[in-house]
Amino acid sequence: MTVRSDTSASSRPLLAALPRVPAISPLVAVLVAILLILIVPPAIFLLRISLHETMPDGSLGPFTLRFYESLFTGRFFLPSLYNTMIYSLGSAVIAIVIGTVQALIVERTNTPGRNLAFFAAILSLGVPHILYTVAWLLLLGRSGPLNDLIAFVTQQPQAINVYSMWGMILIEGIGFVPLTFLLMSAVFRSMDASFEEAAIVAGASPLRAFWEVTLGMGVPAICALAMLIFIRTFESFEVPALVGLAGNINVLTTTIYQSARRTGAPNYGESGAYSICLILIVTVLLIWQNNLARNAHRYQTITGKGFRPRIVDLGPWRYLSAALLLLLFLFVTVIPAAILVFTSFLPFYEGVNLESFGRMSLDNYVILFGPGSFRDSIVNTLILGAATATIVVPFTALCAWLVVRQVKGAVLLDHLTMLPLVFPAIILGVAFLNIFVNMPLPLYGTLLSIIIASSVRYLSYGMRYAYAGALQIQPDLEGQAAVSGASGASVFRRIVLPLLAPTLINAWLLVFLLSVQAVSLPLLLVGPGSEVMAVTLFELWQNGQVTELASMGVLWMLLMTAVSAVFHLMTRRHQMNV
Amino acid sequence: MSLRCCKVPVCHGFTGVAFLLALFAVSTASAQDILTSRAANREQLILDGARKEGKVVLYSAAIVNQAQRPLAQAFMKKYPFVKMSFWRGDTEEIIAKISAEMRANNLVADLVEGTGVGELAIEAKFAQPYFSPMVEAMPERYRDARNQWTSTRISYFSIAYNTRLVPPDQVPKTYDDLLDPRWRGKLAWRIGTSSGTPLFLTTIRLARGEAKARDYFQKLAAQKVINFGAGSARTLVDRVIAGEFPIALNIFAHHPLISRAKGAPVNSQLMDPVASTAGTMIIPKGVRNPHAALLLADFILSKEGQQILAEADYFPVRPDIPPKDVLASVIPARAGVPELFISSDQLNEYTDSSAKIFDEMFR
């Protein structure tokens, strides 16, 4: 503990002697302006549809507060809110506990085969969310292999009811494990081992040193992550719809969905009102988090010294931790992927049984490689993912650094980049549709328009990642560079960016993988000729059979794994040099 | 366009503008005329106009691989001078997109097709009336007297059941059979779309009258029907095949047959009356390529176009084009079960109130 406060105290006067991080406020102003241009139009759209009736032709009618009223007074509101809280908290806890444990084992121990965990995480991030949920339902469903197994052993049919709250929490929570793992491993990787060593020298047991120092220093990152997952689950739709509704468990998103899509013409008023309320809640959470970050210097671990993390030799216990990793690998990646692969060879899915093996064929794959569907949209999809990630990551890195350094006005950057997270994707899609279609520039229906919308959508993910990373960089390095005459720009480029690199590389890949699988957002924005794969996949889900969907999912997984592997190989050398 | 106008020398500006205005007036007038034209030389006028327009855009809810792409290929083979492109969305998305385009005066779609599109045309006043001589081959009930829409394909609705979970002697044959206590908690239906629960409720209301229907709904509500909220009717049938739900209500009657032909443990059971609806097609107001839109509309409604839809497992609206043999058993007339065709006007009239009944009794 004393070690920590000493370091920060010594850096203080040095920083104070400098002009508070060089030439910043105008920069913040420019960034805020860019964000406002991107975010305000959809936000205004959201506010307007929440306050007006939507007419049959899609135009806005007279002013009304009825959507807010029905949100709070509807008989579904309170039970849904209660369910939502349990569901969101439960999922966040599962994701963070499992992801953190996994990251610790991988980053801080000599467990054999630990590097495979990255591969596993990337592989599961490559599975589009909707497919992932379907895979879990195939597995845990009433006719799934697990229920069959239990029935075989105990003679009790359909013992597991996955259409329940625990089913929702389990599926959603495990779905976020790869994300928490990647983020937490970036945090642990950039954590200076000397603090822990100091604690041990001072007499703490290694376990206590780890608990109080390592986990303690990870708190802000964990909070940032918890908030991301909490908000994301709060507005999640796939799992509540596929799992919850079938068990008659309503959360807020499914309640609103039922109100908005009862009849032909969609009415987004209520979901608009819901999003506005969410924005208010998130703003409160952000203010709370900023207070936490005010003491950020307590968590800064990256200094001018070497910061390789300490690897703990687990001795024989390392086989136990390896078994744990293997178990996670099985549950998070292999089993859902295996059931998809299995299904992809079938003409229809009716559980895992011997007869099914006799029916296996490549028919679903033949359909995929026919004209259209897969081939046409690959290039568009790769461009979309790469462009979105390349726009989002450097931009949010800069924003996050300014926020962490508490540059004047930078708090605004934090708030603005978080806003898109609470826009439900379908609303953001409708908003951008209305913006682009009204623009004098011929953007409507182009790939560029999808890239812009998708960059806005994933700003928050980039920001959370970069924020967690930037939080750990001590300002003295930058101070020293500034003293030596470096400009603000070169401090950022030559000191901050390289130090943030491991985090940013993961962020790039994450944004890439998320943006290529988004469906609701590009659905309305694509025009003839600008198709992307996720939309094609969605169409298969809508019209095709689950088996064709599975075969496309398998191809998708292979493609995303290939992209990630190439990316990993290309950046590995770079990471070594950091 | 307006940028190019600026290049007109100033002294010619006025005459230029006047000329453009006149041209505009002529072109819109002729667009109106051609859309409703029944002239002898209609076909030639459309061909000439489409040749000049050179392109046409279809927004449709039909499946891309089996329907839209083959349609486009066949259309462009027949009319190589018109480039056809298409976009697929669900009716809800089509509505969102087309309404945004219309309000922004930036219309991309020339022809819009899908289940529910006709109701939209009536409610939102989106449609520009048009005439296609092809409709004369269609039964009267599938035609609109005001020419706002044409029908493209027919859908029949039934229940789907898992043949392993529902023994042959227990298969519900009537709507009242669904009230048997043994099906409590085992029936599923699709929410979140007008062709799901609202259509089922509308069918019962039209068939039995409001009072008897309400009585039936009360009993049905006691069966705790499972609300299936994610995915299409096709997806729901897949869940029945997988054994998740023994019985699904109000699905497209032909979907189980397609899977059954592959050996899946599923079948459909028609009930008296069998609800049927038509997929409908409109030309939006302010259409950019009216001639090409008409050319494509004629093509989709022709024997050739309907044959392509039939091969994509749809039921053609033309009586002279039969559906696939494997699907024929769910055509009510052939099965000897009464059909209740629900028109776009009726759907427009009943859907909202049926959705309210669902909210009150089944949510």
Side-chain angles (χ1 to χ4, degrees), chain A residues 28-243:
Chain A
V28 172
V30 171
L31 292 174
V32 167
I34 294 175
L35 283 173
L36 285 177
I37 290 170
L38 288 173
I39 294 169
V40 166
I44 289 179
F45 180 83
L46 194 66
L47 192 63
R48 289 187 62 204
I49 55 169
S50 77
L51 288 171
H52 293 269
E53 299 284 350
T54 306
M55 305 314 276
D57 67 353
S59 63
L60 292 180
F63 176 86
T64 177
L65 283 174
R66 102 181 149 90
F67 298 121
Y68 290 91
E69 200 191 319
S70 70
L71 193 62
F72 294 116
T73 58
R75 68 191 159 101
F76 304 107
F77 178 72
L78 277 179
S80 307
L81 181 69
Y82 175 75
N83 284 339
T84 310
M85 296 303 285
I86 294 187
Y87 163 64
S88 301
L89 280 173
S91 308
V93 167
I94 285 201
I96 285 179
V97 169
I98 299 180
T100 307
V101 168
Q102 199 184 0
L104 272 174
I105 295 176
V106 169
E107 292 295 333
R108 300 295 312 275
T109 70
N110 61 344
T111 302
R114 59 188 189 274
N115 284 330
L116 282 178
F118 283 101
F119 172 74
I122 301 287
L123 198 69
S124 8
L125 275 179
V127 186
H129 202 61
I130 198 151
L131 261 183
Y132 174 85
T133 313
V134 169
W136 273 100
L137 287 182
L138 294 178
L139 195 70
L140 299 177
R142 294 194 178 112
S143 55
L146 205 64
N147 262 321
D148 284 353
L149 193 70
I150 295 176
F152 182 73
V153 176
T154 66
Q155 303 299 317
Q156 191 194 351
Q158 306 195 342
I160 301 180
N161 179 18
V162 68
Y163 303 103
S164 55
M165 182 53 91
W166 73 258
M168 290 169 71
I169 291 178
L170 187 77
I171 295 175
E172 183 78 11
I174 289 185
F176 274 106
V177 166
L179 192 133
T180 46
F181 162 69
L182 285 180
L183 197 136
M184 288 316 293
S185 68
V187 169
F188 288 135
R189 194 178 316 158
S190 53
M191 205 173 260
D192 192 342
S194 58
F195 297 120
E196 230 174 87
E197 281 154 15
I200 295 172
V201 169
S205 69
L207 201 65
R208 181 160 172 236
F210 163 76
W211 186 258
E212 292 204 351
V213 177
T214 307
L215 273 191
M217 288 193 301
V219 161
I222 291 178
C223 283
L225 192 58
M227 198 159 91
L228 184 76
I229 298 174
F230 187 77
I231 295 170
R232 188 62 197 78
T233 5
F234 222 84
E235 54 133 0
S236 69
F237 180 69
E238 284 97 342
V239 170
L242 267 80
V243 186

Side-chain angles (χ1 to χ4, degrees), chain A residues 56-60 75-76 134 137-138 140-144 158 162-163 237-238 241-242 245-248 250 254-259 261-266 268 347-351 353 355 359 367 371-373 376 426 430 433-434 436-439 444-445 522-529 531 535 538-548, chain B residues 57-59 61-66 69 73 85-88 90-101 103-106 108 120 123-126 164-165 185 191-194 197-198 224-235 238-239 241-246 255 258-259 262-265 314 351-352 355-356 358-363:
Chain A
D57 67 353
S59 63
L60 292 180
R75 68 191 159 101
F76 304 107
V134 169
L137 287 182
L138 294 178
L140 299 177
R142 294 194 178 112
S143 55
Q158 306 195 342
V162 68
Y163 303 103
F237 180 69
E238 284 97 342
L242 267 80
L245 276 180
N248 240 335
N250 271 290
T254 45
T255 300
I256 284 156
Y257 169 80
Q258 291 199 53
S259 310
R261 299 229 345 194
R262 302 186 309 175
T263 58
Y268 300 113
F348 53 86
Y349 177 86
E350 52 155 350
N353 53 27
E355 288 164 50
R359 277 193 285 260
I367 293 171
S373 59
D376 290 1
I426 184 68
V430 176
L433 164 70
N434 279 283
F436 288 128
V437 80
N438 281 297
M439 265 188 156
Y444 174 59
L523 202 57
L524 290 170
L525 295 176
V526 294
E531 290 89 358
V535 176
F538 184 68
E539 190 196 314
L540 270 186
W541 161 251
Q542 285 287 304
N543 293 309
Q545 287 167 265
V546 71
T547 53
E548 275 173 46
Chain B
V57 180
L58 170 72
Y59 283 5
I63 305 176
V64 169
N65 279 341
Q66 287 94 315
R69 186 171 290 112
Q73 280 163 352
S85 49
F86 51 82
W87 174 82
R88 191 209 165 262
D90 277 351
T91 305
E92 285 84 0
E93 288 130 30
I94 292 179
I95 296 174
K97 201 157 163 103
I98 200 97
S99 69
E101 288 181 7
R103 275 178 286 119
N105 200 14
N106 186 5
V108 173
L120 143 85
E123 206 181 356
K125 303 180 176 65
F126 276 161
R164 290 184 205 274
L165 301 175
I191 60 164
T193 166
S194 52
T197 46
K224 302 267 176 225
V225 186
I226 295 161
N227 294 328
F228 180 79
S232 60
R234 174 68 250 188
T235 323
D238 286 338
R239 310 310 296 139
I241 294 172
E244 295 297 305
F245 315 119
H255 285 162
I258 295 169
S259 300
K262 294 181 189 171
Y314 292 112
T351 299
D352 263 349
K356 277 207 185 76
F358 173 78
D359 272 358
E360 279 167 30
M361 306 178 69
F362 295 98
R363 252 179 92 172

Side-chain angles (χ1 to χ4, degrees), chain A residues 118 122 189 308 393 498 500-509 562-578:
Chain A
F118 283 101
I122 301 287
R189 194 178 316 158
R308 291 283 105 193
V393 170
L500 272 178
T503 313
L504 297 187
I505 286 166
N506 281 338
W508 195 95
L509 198 55
V563 168
S564 312
V566 168
F567 186 79
H568 200 64
L569 289 177
M570 277 165 52
T571 52
R572 170 154 277 198
R573 192 178 307 160
H574 175 72
Q575 276 173 295
M576 293 290 190
N577 292 340
V578 170

